[in-house]
Every structure is written in C-alpha cells, then in structure tokens.
PDB file of all heavy atoms in Angstrom:
ATOM      1  N   VAL A   9       0.788  -1.229   0.013  1.00 85.00           N
ATOM      2  CA  VAL A   9       0.028  -0.016   0.010  1.00 85.00           C
ATOM      3  C   VAL A   9       0.859   1.249  -0.009  1.00 85.00           C
ATOM      4  O   VAL A   9       1.942   1.347   0.653  1.00 85.00           O
ATOM      5  CB  VAL A   9      -0.995   0.019   1.221  1.00 85.00           C
ATOM      6  CG1 VAL A   9      -0.178   0.171   2.503  1.00 85.00           C
ATOM      7  CG2 VAL A   9      -2.062   1.074   1.041  1.00 85.00           C
ATOM      8  N   GLU A  10       0.492   2.215  -0.794  1.00 88.00           N
ATOM      9  CA  GLU A  10       1.086   3.562  -0.851  1.00 88.00           C
ATOM     10  C   GLU A  10      -0.054   4.539  -0.668  1.00 88.00           C
ATOM     11  O   GLU A  10      -1.228   4.206  -0.830  1.00 88.00           O
ATOM     12  CB  GLU A  10       1.816   3.775  -2.166  1.00 88.00           C
ATOM     13  CG  GLU A  10       2.975   2.787  -2.364  1.00 88.00           C
ATOM     14  CD  GLU A  10       3.717   3.076  -3.644  1.00 88.00           C
ATOM     15  OE1 GLU A  10       3.617   4.181  -4.203  1.00 88.00           O
ATOM     16  OE2 GLU A  10       4.371   2.127  -4.175  1.00 88.00           O
ATOM     17  N   VAL A  11       0.318   5.766  -0.358  1.00 89.00           N
ATOM     18  CA  VAL A  11      -0.705   6.789  -0.097  1.00 89.00           C
ATOM     19  C   VAL A  11      -1.637   7.014  -1.313  1.00 89.00           C
ATOM     20  O   VAL A  11      -2.793   7.281  -1.147  1.00 89.00           O
ATOM     21  CB  VAL A  11      -0.095   8.112   0.403  1.00 89.00           C
ATOM     22  CG1 VAL A  11       0.659   8.824  -0.756  1.00 89.00           C
ATOM     23  CG2 VAL A  11      -1.154   8.958   1.021  1.00 89.00           C
ATOM     24  N   TRP A  12      -1.083   6.875  -2.488  1.00 90.00           N
ATOM     25  CA  TRP A  12      -1.974   7.136  -3.687  1.00 90.00           C
ATOM     26  C   TRP A  12      -2.991   6.012  -3.841  1.00 90.00           C
ATOM     27  O   TRP A  12      -4.073   6.261  -4.361  1.00 90.00           O
ATOM     28  CB  TRP A  12      -1.142   7.307  -4.961  1.00 90.00           C
ATOM     29  CG  TRP A  12      -0.497   6.085  -5.451  1.00 90.00           C
ATOM     30  CD1 TRP A  12       0.776   5.608  -5.251  1.00 90.00           C
ATOM     31  CD2 TRP A  12      -1.069   5.079  -6.348  1.00 90.00           C
ATOM     32  NE1 TRP A  12       0.962   4.400  -5.913  1.00 90.00           N
ATOM     33  CE2 TRP A  12      -0.124   4.108  -6.634  1.00 90.00           C
ATOM     34  CE3 TRP A  12      -2.312   5.033  -7.044  1.00 90.00           C
ATOM     35  CZ2 TRP A  12      -0.360   3.010  -7.486  1.00 90.00           C
ATOM     36  CZ3 TRP A  12      -2.566   3.974  -7.901  1.00 90.00           C
ATOM     37  CH2 TRP A  12      -1.565   3.008  -8.135  1.00 90.00           C
ATOM     38  N   HIS A  13      -2.684   4.778  -3.316  1.00 91.00           N
ATOM     39  CA  HIS A  13      -3.681   3.733  -3.265  1.00 91.00           C
ATOM     40  C   HIS A  13      -4.942   4.234  -2.424  1.00 91.00           C
ATOM     41  O   HIS A  13      -6.063   3.919  -2.718  1.00 91.00           O
ATOM     42  CB  HIS A  13      -3.126   2.477  -2.774  1.00 91.00           C
ATOM     43  CG  HIS A  13      -2.121   1.843  -3.701  1.00 91.00           C
ATOM     44  ND1 HIS A  13      -0.976   1.293  -3.153  1.00 91.00           N
ATOM     45  CD2 HIS A  13      -2.046   1.787  -5.031  1.00 91.00           C
ATOM     46  CE1 HIS A  13      -0.254   0.843  -4.181  1.00 91.00           C
ATOM     47  NE2 HIS A  13      -0.832   1.083  -5.295  1.00 91.00           N
ATOM     48  N   VAL A  14      -4.607   4.744  -1.255  1.00 91.00           N
ATOM     49  CA  VAL A  14      -5.661   5.242  -0.335  1.00 91.00           C
ATOM     50  C   VAL A  14      -6.423   6.276  -1.022  1.00 91.00           C
ATOM     51  O   VAL A  14      -7.633   6.328  -0.947  1.00 91.00           O
ATOM     52  CB  VAL A  14      -5.062   5.666   1.029  1.00 91.00           C
ATOM     53  CG1 VAL A  14      -6.179   6.049   1.961  1.00 91.00           C
ATOM     54  CG2 VAL A  14      -4.144   4.584   1.593  1.00 91.00           C
ATOM     55  N   TYR A  15      -5.730   7.231  -1.604  1.00 92.00           N
ATOM     56  CA  TYR A  15      -6.456   8.324  -2.367  1.00 92.00           C
ATOM     57  C   TYR A  15      -7.388   7.781  -3.411  1.00 92.00           C
ATOM     58  O   TYR A  15      -8.562   8.159  -3.536  1.00 92.00           O
ATOM     59  CB  TYR A  15      -5.421   9.251  -3.033  1.00 92.00           C
ATOM     60  CG  TYR A  15      -4.638  10.112  -2.167  1.00 92.00           C
ATOM     61  CD1 TYR A  15      -3.420  10.745  -2.606  1.00 92.00           C
ATOM     62  CD2 TYR A  15      -4.923  10.357  -0.791  1.00 92.00           C
ATOM     63  CE1 TYR A  15      -2.695  11.608  -1.826  1.00 92.00           C
ATOM     64  CE2 TYR A  15      -4.212  11.147  -0.032  1.00 92.00           C
ATOM     65  CZ  TYR A  15      -3.081  11.737  -0.455  1.00 92.00           C
ATOM     66  OH  TYR A  15      -2.302  12.636   0.295  1.00 92.00           O
ATOM     67  N   LEU A  16      -6.953   6.734  -4.213  1.00 92.00           N
ATOM     68  CA  LEU A  16      -7.723   6.188  -5.185  1.00 92.00           C
ATOM     69  C   LEU A  16      -8.977   5.423  -4.656  1.00 92.00           C
ATOM     70  O   LEU A  16     -10.094   5.614  -5.195  1.00 92.00           O
ATOM     71  CB  LEU A  16      -6.933   5.258  -6.041  1.00 92.00           C
ATOM     72  CG  LEU A  16      -7.594   4.549  -7.295  1.00 92.00           C
ATOM     73  CD1 LEU A  16      -8.075   5.635  -8.258  1.00 92.00           C
ATOM     74  CD2 LEU A  16      -6.695   3.557  -7.969  1.00 92.00           C
ATOM     75  N   ALA A  17      -8.762   4.719  -3.562  1.00 91.00           N
ATOM     76  CA  ALA A  17      -9.869   3.970  -2.920  1.00 91.00           C
ATOM     77  C   ALA A  17     -10.885   5.007  -2.421  1.00 91.00           C
ATOM     78  O   ALA A  17     -12.178   4.801  -2.549  1.00 91.00           O
ATOM     79  CB  ALA A  17      -9.308   3.115  -1.808  1.00 91.00           C
ATOM     80  N   ALA A  18     -10.405   6.145  -1.781  1.00 90.00           N
ATOM     81  CA  ALA A  18     -11.408   7.126  -1.271  1.00 90.00           C
ATOM     82  C   ALA A  18     -12.194   7.730  -2.403  1.00 90.00           C
ATOM     83  O   ALA A  18     -13.375   7.953  -2.266  1.00 90.00           O
ATOM     84  CB  ALA A  18     -10.638   8.211  -0.509  1.00 90.00           C
ATOM     85  N   PHE A  19     -11.553   7.980  -3.546  1.00 93.00           N
ATOM     86  CA  PHE A  19     -12.279   8.558  -4.643  1.00 93.00           C
ATOM     87  C   PHE A  19     -13.252   7.556  -5.253  1.00 93.00           C
ATOM     88  O   PHE A  19     -14.349   7.904  -5.579  1.00 93.00           O
ATOM     89  CB  PHE A  19     -11.249   8.962  -5.670  1.00 93.00           C
ATOM     90  CG  PHE A  19     -11.837   9.839  -6.876  1.00 93.00           C
ATOM     91  CD1 PHE A  19     -12.196  11.139  -6.675  1.00 93.00           C
ATOM     92  CD2 PHE A  19     -12.172   9.156  -8.065  1.00 93.00           C
ATOM     93  CE1 PHE A  19     -12.780  11.821  -7.641  1.00 93.00           C
ATOM     94  CE2 PHE A  19     -12.641   9.887  -9.145  1.00 93.00           C
ATOM     95  CZ  PHE A  19     -12.998  11.222  -8.965  1.00 93.00           C
ATOM     96  N   ALA A  20     -12.922   6.310  -5.263  1.00 92.00           N
ATOM     97  CA  ALA A  20     -13.824   5.292  -5.793  1.00 92.00           C
ATOM     98  C   ALA A  20     -15.056   5.097  -4.909  1.00 92.00           C
ATOM     99  O   ALA A  20     -16.237   4.992  -5.429  1.00 92.00           O
ATOM    100  CB  ALA A  20     -13.049   3.987  -5.913  1.00 92.00           C
ATOM    101  N   VAL A  21     -14.846   5.120  -3.586  1.00 91.00           N
ATOM    102  CA  VAL A  21     -16.006   5.134  -2.713  1.00 91.00           C
ATOM    103  C   VAL A  21     -16.874   6.349  -2.950  1.00 91.00           C
ATOM    104  O   VAL A  21     -18.174   6.329  -2.881  1.00 91.00           O
ATOM    105  CB  VAL A  21     -15.521   5.051  -1.186  1.00 91.00           C
ATOM    106  CG1 VAL A  21     -16.679   5.253  -0.221  1.00 91.00           C
ATOM    107  CG2 VAL A  21     -14.876   3.666  -0.923  1.00 91.00           C
ATOM    108  N   GLY A  22     -16.236   7.494  -3.115  1.00 89.00           N
ATOM    109  CA  GLY A  22     -16.958   8.684  -3.317  1.00 89.00           C
ATOM    110  C   GLY A  22     -17.844   8.645  -4.582  1.00 89.00           C
ATOM    111  O   GLY A  22     -18.979   9.108  -4.566  1.00 89.00           O
ATOM    112  N   LEU A  23     -17.356   7.986  -5.637  1.00 91.00           N
ATOM    113  CA  LEU A  23     -18.160   7.888  -6.913  1.00 91.00           C
ATOM    114  C   LEU A  23     -19.390   6.990  -6.634  1.00 91.00           C
ATOM    115  O   LEU A  23     -20.496   7.278  -7.100  1.00 91.00           O
ATOM    116  CB  LEU A  23     -17.277   7.217  -7.994  1.00 91.00           C
ATOM    117  CG  LEU A  23     -16.232   8.083  -8.609  1.00 91.00           C
ATOM    118  CD1 LEU A  23     -15.354   7.300  -9.592  1.00 91.00           C
ATOM    119  CD2 LEU A  23     -16.865   9.202  -9.407  1.00 91.00           C
ATOM    120  N   ALA A  24     -19.280   5.911  -5.894  1.00 92.00           N
ATOM    121  CA  ALA A  24     -20.397   5.119  -5.551  1.00 92.00           C
ATOM    122  C   ALA A  24     -21.393   5.814  -4.683  1.00 92.00           C
ATOM    123  O   ALA A  24     -22.627   5.693  -4.872  1.00 92.00           O
ATOM    124  CB  ALA A  24     -19.943   3.791  -4.856  1.00 92.00           C
ATOM    125  N   THR A  25     -20.866   6.682  -3.857  1.00 88.00           N
ATOM    126  CA  THR A  25     -21.687   7.475  -2.921  1.00 88.00           C
ATOM    127  C   THR A  25     -22.591   8.434  -3.710  1.00 88.00           C
ATOM    128  O   THR A  25     -23.677   8.800  -3.156  1.00 88.00           O
ATOM    129  CB  THR A  25     -20.829   8.165  -1.874  1.00 88.00           C
ATOM    130  OG1 THR A  25     -20.079   7.260  -1.234  1.00 88.00           O
ATOM    131  CG2 THR A  25     -21.673   9.012  -0.898  1.00 88.00           C
ATOM    132  N   VAL A  26     -22.171   8.892  -4.803  1.00 88.00           N
ATOM    133  CA  VAL A  26     -22.953   9.839  -5.672  1.00 88.00           C
ATOM    134  C   VAL A  26     -24.399   9.335  -5.941  1.00 88.00           C
ATOM    135  O   VAL A  26     -25.327  10.120  -5.794  1.00 88.00           O
ATOM    136  CB  VAL A  26     -22.217  10.146  -6.980  1.00 88.00           C
ATOM    137  CG1 VAL A  26     -23.187  10.854  -7.932  1.00 88.00           C
ATOM    138  CG2 VAL A  26     -20.954  10.975  -6.776  1.00 88.00           C
ATOM    139  N   VAL A  27     -24.511   7.964  -6.095  1.00 90.00           N
ATOM    140  CA  VAL A  27     -25.824   7.417  -6.241  1.00 90.00           C
ATOM    141  C   VAL A  27     -26.288   6.841  -5.035  1.00 90.00           C
ATOM    142  O   VAL A  27     -27.503   6.898  -4.670  1.00 90.00           O
ATOM    143  CB  VAL A  27     -25.753   6.346  -7.373  1.00 90.00           C
ATOM    144  CG1 VAL A  27     -27.147   5.591  -7.495  1.00 90.00           C
ATOM    145  CG2 VAL A  27     -25.450   6.976  -8.721  1.00 90.00           C
ATOM    146  N   ASP A  28     -25.443   6.210  -4.220  1.00 91.00           N
ATOM    147  CA  ASP A  28     -25.820   5.488  -3.046  1.00 91.00           C
ATOM    148  C   ASP A  28     -26.530   6.324  -1.975  1.00 91.00           C
ATOM    149  O   ASP A  28     -27.548   6.010  -1.395  1.00 91.00           O
ATOM    150  CB  ASP A  28     -24.596   4.823  -2.387  1.00 91.00           C
ATOM    151  CG  ASP A  28     -24.963   3.932  -1.196  1.00 91.00           C
ATOM    152  OD1 ASP A  28     -25.411   2.876  -1.436  1.00 91.00           O
ATOM    153  OD2 ASP A  28     -24.805   4.465  -0.073  1.00 91.00           O
ATOM    154  N   ASN A  29     -25.958   7.513  -1.783  1.00 85.00           N
ATOM    155  CA  ASN A  29     -26.529   8.413  -0.733  1.00 85.00           C
ATOM    156  C   ASN A  29     -27.908   8.898  -1.063  1.00 85.00           C
ATOM    157  O   ASN A  29     -28.840   8.733  -0.193  1.00 85.00           O
ATOM    158  CB  ASN A  29     -25.547   9.661  -0.446  1.00 85.00           C
ATOM    159  CG  ASN A  29     -25.034   9.708   0.956  1.00 85.00           C
ATOM    160  OD1 ASN A  29     -25.907   9.711   1.906  1.00 85.00           O
ATOM    161  ND2 ASN A  29     -23.768   9.592   1.157  1.00 85.00           N
ATOM    162  N   PRO A  30     -28.217   9.585  -2.122  1.00 85.00           N
ATOM    163  CA  PRO A  30     -29.601   9.966  -2.388  1.00 85.00           C
ATOM    164  C   PRO A  30     -30.521   8.755  -2.551  1.00 85.00           C
ATOM    165  O   PRO A  30     -31.674   8.872  -2.163  1.00 85.00           O
ATOM    166  CB  PRO A  30     -29.523  10.760  -3.671  1.00 85.00           C
ATOM    167  CG  PRO A  30     -28.229  10.344  -4.320  1.00 85.00           C
ATOM    168  CD  PRO A  30     -27.325  10.083  -3.155  1.00 85.00           C
ATOM    169  N   ALA A  31     -30.012   7.655  -3.031  1.00 88.00           N
ATOM    170  CA  ALA A  31     -30.828   6.472  -3.101  1.00 88.00           C
ATOM    171  C   ALA A  31     -31.291   5.998  -1.732  1.00 88.00           C
ATOM    172  O   ALA A  31     -32.438   5.610  -1.470  1.00 88.00           O
ATOM    173  CB  ALA A  31     -30.125   5.377  -3.918  1.00 88.00           C
ATOM    174  N   ARG A  32     -30.271   5.907  -0.796  1.00 88.00           N
ATOM    175  CA  ARG A  32     -30.594   5.399   0.570  1.00 88.00           C
ATOM    176  C   ARG A  32     -31.519   6.468   1.271  1.00 88.00           C
ATOM    177  O   ARG A  32     -32.447   6.025   1.943  1.00 88.00           O
ATOM    178  CB  ARG A  32     -29.407   5.268   1.368  1.00 88.00           C
ATOM    179  CG  ARG A  32     -28.637   3.903   1.200  1.00 88.00           C
ATOM    180  CD  ARG A  32     -27.568   3.683   2.214  1.00 88.00           C
ATOM    181  NE  ARG A  32     -26.467   4.626   2.072  1.00 88.00           N
ATOM    182  CZ  ARG A  32     -26.245   5.656   2.950  1.00 88.00           C
ATOM    183  NH1 ARG A  32     -26.964   5.772   3.985  1.00 88.00           N
ATOM    184  NH2 ARG A  32     -25.149   6.393   2.754  1.00 88.00           N
ATOM    185  N   GLN A  33     -31.339   7.694   1.052  1.00 81.00           N
ATOM    186  CA  GLN A  33     -32.107   8.722   1.706  1.00 81.00           C
ATOM    187  C   GLN A  33     -33.588   8.635   1.204  1.00 81.00           C
ATOM    188  O   GLN A  33     -34.540   8.668   2.045  1.00 81.00           O
ATOM    189  CB  GLN A  33     -31.618  10.108   1.400  1.00 81.00           C
ATOM    190  CG  GLN A  33     -30.163  10.407   1.978  1.00 81.00           C
ATOM    191  CD  GLN A  33     -30.090  10.533   3.497  1.00 81.00           C
ATOM    192  OE1 GLN A  33     -31.172  10.924   4.103  1.00 81.00           O
ATOM    193  NE2 GLN A  33     -28.978  10.156   4.028  1.00 81.00           N
ATOM    194  N   THR A  34     -33.782   8.525  -0.006  1.00 83.00           N
ATOM    195  CA  THR A  34     -35.132   8.567  -0.601  1.00 83.00           C
ATOM    196  C   THR A  34     -35.804   7.214  -0.492  1.00 83.00           C
ATOM    197  O   THR A  34     -37.029   7.061  -0.380  1.00 83.00           O
ATOM    198  CB  THR A  34     -35.159   8.946  -2.103  1.00 83.00           C
ATOM    199  OG1 THR A  34     -34.203   8.061  -2.857  1.00 83.00           O
ATOM    200  CG2 THR A  34     -34.671  10.417  -2.219  1.00 83.00           C
ATOM    201  N   PHE A  35     -35.009   6.096  -0.428  1.00 88.00           N
ATOM    202  CA  PHE A  35     -35.659   4.716  -0.255  1.00 88.00           C
ATOM    203  C   PHE A  35     -36.270   4.622   1.075  1.00 88.00           C
ATOM    204  O   PHE A  35     -37.222   3.791   1.224  1.00 88.00           O
ATOM    205  CB  PHE A  35     -34.552   3.718  -0.467  1.00 88.00           C
ATOM    206  CG  PHE A  35     -34.980   2.250  -0.574  1.00 88.00           C
ATOM    207  CD1 PHE A  35     -36.069   2.009  -1.433  1.00 88.00           C
ATOM    208  CD2 PHE A  35     -34.474   1.329   0.153  1.00 88.00           C
ATOM    209  CE1 PHE A  35     -36.547   0.718  -1.541  1.00 88.00           C
ATOM    210  CE2 PHE A  35     -34.938  -0.041   0.046  1.00 88.00           C
ATOM    211  CZ  PHE A  35     -35.938  -0.338  -0.793  1.00 88.00           C
ATOM    212  N   VAL A  36     -35.844   5.324   2.088  1.00 87.00           N
ATOM    213  CA  VAL A  36     -36.431   5.347   3.385  1.00 87.00           C
ATOM    214  C   VAL A  36     -37.943   5.624   3.326  1.00 87.00           C
ATOM    215  O   VAL A  36     -38.809   4.917   3.929  1.00 87.00           O
ATOM    216  CB  VAL A  36     -35.785   6.262   4.429  1.00 87.00           C
ATOM    217  CG1 VAL A  36     -36.526   6.356   5.694  1.00 87.00           C
ATOM    218  CG2 VAL A  36     -34.325   5.816   4.646  1.00 87.00           C
ATOM    219  N   SER A  37     -38.321   6.644   2.590  1.00 82.00           N
ATOM    220  CA  SER A  37     -39.727   7.022   2.450  1.00 82.00           C
ATOM    221  C   SER A  37     -40.474   5.871   1.744  1.00 82.00           C
ATOM    222  O   SER A  37     -41.720   5.735   2.030  1.00 82.00           O
ATOM    223  CB  SER A  37     -39.940   8.339   1.701  1.00 82.00           C
ATOM    224  OG  SER A  37     -39.459   8.183   0.352  1.00 82.00           O
TER     225      SER A  37
END
C-alpha cells in the first residue's frame, strides 16, 4: 500500500456514494 492507493480508494467510494446516498435517503420513504 502507498498513499496514492488510499487516495484512489477514497475517490472510488466517493463515486459510488454519488448514487448510493440519495438512493438510501429517498428509499427510506
């Protein structure tokens, strides 16, 4: 592991969150 690996993983999670977060929020209703 190098620090750029962590940066890349954080960005990848962020990309998934773009859809995941509003989907989870609105799915509650």
Side-chain angles (χ1 to χ4, degrees):
V9 70
E10 298 180 22
V11 69
W12 72 267
H13 293 141
V14 185
Y15 289 165
L16 183 61
F19 189 76
V21 170
L23 284 175
T25 302
V26 167
V27 174
D28 185 80
N29 239 301
R32 278 191 295 108
Q33 298 290 331
T34 56
F35 191 49
V36 171
S37 64

